[in-house]
Amino acid sequence: MKIRVNGVDQTLDDNVDPDMPLLWAIRDLLGLTGTKYGCGEALCGSCTVHLDGHAVRSCVTPVRRASGRSVVTIEGLSKDGNHPVQKAWLALRVPQCGFCQSGQIMSAAALLAARPRPTDDEIDTSMAGNLCRCGTYPRIRAAIRKAAGLPEDAT
Amino acid sequence: MVGAMQRTLGVCAAIAVHACGGSSPPAPLPPLRPVAANELRAPADFASIADRTQRSRSLFLEASRVLMHPRCVNCHPAGDVPHQGMQMMLHDPPVVRGPEDAGVVGMECLTCHQDRNQPLTRVPGAPGWHLAPIEMAWVGKTAAYICNQIKDPARNGGKTLAQIVEHNAHDELVGWGWKPGADREPAPGTQAQFGAIVAAWVETGAACPEENKQ
């Protein structure tokens, strides 16, 4: 099975179960541990990656769905952490414990790729599936607005 | 207990289609064969209803036992949020229908749902997982309303009745209703039986139950 991950073509062993969660392949087979295992049931969003540009929950996505397609993880979002979302995250010191943040950033990046200047409603509905037990939601929303070039305060 | 419930189902279905107007009261419809809640009757079970229109209405009411089952109606919400479970709770995680009835960026249906059920995580899936458009909302609607909606090309995706039959009999997303995975209760009967009922309804004139007679 061939998958392009962060711009690099990867070939998985023939004995890889095609129903293996994509998250397992990313973390255990390819060693990209920035993507986190949270709930394992697509309920928390911490495992979010991009599949052909669309945000997916890698914990419930079988690796066969990614065959022949392009996956981007937090490690591949930018070369040196200079994606606008990452820069806004740092500027506003969004993370607290940080466990959910790679998923938050990947969802936010997908949102801004499709909606460069999202409304607050669009931010809320697109980010509704990314949970943060530390409750950093106000900073997450402000950082998305900052990355979009919008005032950080809600309108 | 089960027997009494089955008899009640049969009697209710017969009573439900007493819909003729006119000066003289209509003759009572013959009782239908009792079936369990998870079974569907066959078109032949309606042969005892002599009047073609009454038979057609009765066939649609049988079909509505599928259409109004939570497995089907949960993704025909009257608002922007799908339902889930037999209790028809609002979908969790909180998703919205979005401009194309497939969620919004970051929270698309396909962000989580795959082309088949996921046994380990219990996340349901089927090809083309998406919500029915708002004009096809069924939650809170009567069988009469749903019947008229299904027949209306402006509210059924531009389908002919023949296409409605085909859709119900063979569409894979419709078929998920009978293969819901995990511990979910399937819709009554089978997709083939449902398709046969819908086909018989169309063949008998696609009559709809009257709004106040259900």
Side-chain angles (χ1 to χ4, degrees):
Chain A
M1 190 183 312
K2 294 184 184 301
I3 306 174
R4 190 168 181 82
V5 180
N6 297 335
V8 178
D9 290 328
Q10 302 280 359
T11 301
L12 303 183
D13 286 348
D14 290 342
N15 62 0
V16 169
D17 185 341
D19 282 328
M20 169 190 281
L22 176 60
L23 178 61
W24 267 230
I26 291 169
R27 286 181 58 88
D28 294 352
L29 302 183
L30 302 178
L32 299 169
T33 54
T35 305
K36 302 305 183 190
Y37 173 89
C39 67
E41 296 181 319
L43 295 170
C44 77
S46 64
C47 67
T48 303
V49 300
H50 296 174
L51 180 61
D52 285 348
H54 294 266
V56 299
R57 304 291 188 252
S58 61
C59 72
V60 296
T61 301
V63 68
R64 61 177 159 72
R65 184 177 168 194
S67 179
R69 303 173 69 179
S70 176
V71 173
V72 174
T73 70
I74 186 69
E75 291 92 341
L77 189 60
S78 66
K79 287 186 177 177
D80 51 7
N82 66 351
H83 186 283
V85 172
Q86 292 171 306
K87 290 199 292 188
W89 241 250
L90 285 172
L92 298 187
R93 300 181 180 182
V94 171
Q96 187 162 315
C97 87
F99 192 83
C100 71
Q101 297 295 324
S102 62
Q104 303 277 5
I105 289 171
M106 296 307 286
S107 287
L111 167 63
L112 293 183
R115 298 278 185 277
R117 294 176 66 83
T119 65
D120 288 340
D121 277 349
E122 287 174 329
I123 293 173
D124 290 347
T125 54
S126 288
M127 301 298 294
N130 286 85
L131 305 185
C132 175
R133 293 293 297 272
C134 303
T136 63
Y137 302 111
R139 295 203 295 273
I140 288 172
R141 186 203 259 189
I144 292 172
R145 293 179 57 82
K146 182 178 181 65
L150 298 167
E152 294 164 24
D153 293 337
T155 54
Chain B
M1 183 66 182
V2 172
M5 187 180 300
Q6 289 173 339
R7 283 194 296 277
T8 302
L9 277 171
V11 171
C12 286
I15 290 173
V17 291
H18 281 196
C20 290
S23 56
S24 59
L29 294 178
L32 297 174
R33 178 175 66 87
V35 293
N38 64 350
E39 294 178 317
L40 273 186
R41 296 179 179 87
D45 291 321
F46 297 81
S48 59
I49 303 175
D51 182 86
R52 185 171 182 262
T53 299
Q54 295 283 28
R55 189 162 67 252
S56 191
R57 287 171 174 156
S58 202
L59 283 160
F60 187 84
L61 286 173
E62 187 69 7
S64 75
R65 294 181 51 223
V66 170
L67 300 170
M68 299 171 79
H69 189 280
R71 283 291 86 71
C72 301
V73 82
N74 278 350
C75 286
H76 284 254
D80 285 338
V81 180
H83 300 259
Q84 59 187 180
M86 291 301 288
Q87 302 303 315
M88 298 178 61
M89 306 286 284
L90 291 179
H91 190 285
D92 183 27
V95 295
V96 294
R97 74 166 59 245
E100 297 177 353
D101 305 306
V104 295
V105 60
M107 285 288 276
E108 301 169 69
C109 298
L110 301 186
T111 296
C112 303
H113 295 279
Q114 313 297 320
D115 62 358
R116 67 197 75 173
N117 295 322
Q118 297 297 300
L120 296 179
T121 61
R122 302 180 70 260
V123 178
W129 196 268
H130 69 283
L131 284 183
I134 189 67
E135 62 269 22
M136 300 182 194
W138 292 351
V139 170
K141 307 298 186 185
T142 63
Y145 178 96
I146 294 171
C147 181
N148 284 293
Q149 178 265 304
I150 285 176
K151 289 168 57 177
D152 180 1
R155 294 184 290 159
N156 75 4
K159 288 185 173 62
T160 64
L161 287 175
Q163 289 170 323
I164 290 291
V165 172
E166 169 64 22
H167 174 73
N168 283 300
H170 297 115
D171 182 84
E172 289 182 288
L173 185 52
V174 172
W176 175 87
W178 291 273
K179 302 173 189 172
D183 55 356
R184 300 178 191 90
E185 177 184 304
T190 66
Q191 186 172 19
Q193 292 169 339
F194 177 59
I197 286 288
V198 174
W201 167 65
V202 170
E203 289 163 5
T204 52
C208 287
E210 293 187 349
E211 192 66 75
N212 58 353
K213 300 286 186 179
Q214 296 174 45

